[in-house]
Amino acid sequence: MRYPPTSTALSTSLSAVNTHPVSDVQLGASLVRSSAVRAPKPTAVVLDLFGTLVAAPSAVERSTAAAQFADVLGVSSAVAESALSASWRARHDGQLRSTAEVAAHLVARCNAPASCAGELERLLAQLARDRLQADATLLRALEELRQGGVRLAVLSDASPDIADAWSRSDLAPHFDAAVFSCRVDAMKPAPELFGAVLGALDVVPERVLYCGDGGGDELAGAERAGMDAVRVERRGGPHGLVFGETAWPGRAIPAVEGLPSLLSTWRER
């Protein structure tokens, strides 16, 4: 679950940019790549997690989770939510290495009894499992990609509770690799993250398509790493929480479910 720090600019809607189904177009004065000059057909796809594979948490979900934390810790919801926001970076950039460390960190920030840590760890694990539940339509699209010989990886700014829960999720069997910020000690759009996922897939960037909803400047980061990139509309709707979102004038599709069609009609340069 993602809780951006309160000092970070937060957006709950897509940037005011034009998005288009599959083909690229000319937007204003700048020429965006047309289908005639596309990169070679990808042999691998790297996908963002929150807002792309699963719904980005809404403000309501964030408040509900904070209330659950508050109940376990014996503090107010405001104190719990403040602790979550203040610890966002530590939970995502590798300072905290496990769900147990996250629980202990939140207990300390809330000045709660140390005896609460075990119950809070179990709550974090349960919420992570719930966050990783995927739509059946998305799982079918991933299977279709794999049957077509496409290698898949997930690349996400994620906390240890999400990373710990990943292997037991319905998503995990569909992926050849998973790279999480809390394991690499870097967050999007740091080049270390993109380098780590390329290494895990053992593929050159020119044959990789990056797919995400645009948070964390991920699409431009993928292009700087040598990949092609495509944007999807934020899964869960425009009210999903996101940070570090930047305008994207390039190719866009409605959802991950459109990737098999996009790749099947991809024209080589």
Side-chain angles (χ1 to χ4, degrees), residues 3 5 86-98 101-102 105 156-161 180-188 190 192-193 243:
Y3 294 90
S87 66
W88 189 89
R89 181 166 292 275
R91 289 184 288 115
H92 289 75
D93 69 1
Q95 295 179 54
L96 303 173
R97 309 301 295 183
S98 67
E101 288 189 21
V102 172
H105 183 81
S156 176
D157 284 342
S159 53
D161 41 305
F180 300 110
S181 63
C182 62
R183 301 288 190 248
V184 180
D185 303 342
M187 297 188 299
K188 295 175 183 176
E192 296 94 322
L193 273 179
F243 80 102

Side-chain angles (χ1 to χ4, degrees), residues 31 37-38 65 87 95 137 145 175 185 262:
L31 182 63
V37 292
R38 282 186 181 172
S87 66
Q95 295 179 54
T137 54
L145 290 170
F175 286 84
D185 303 342
L262 175 64

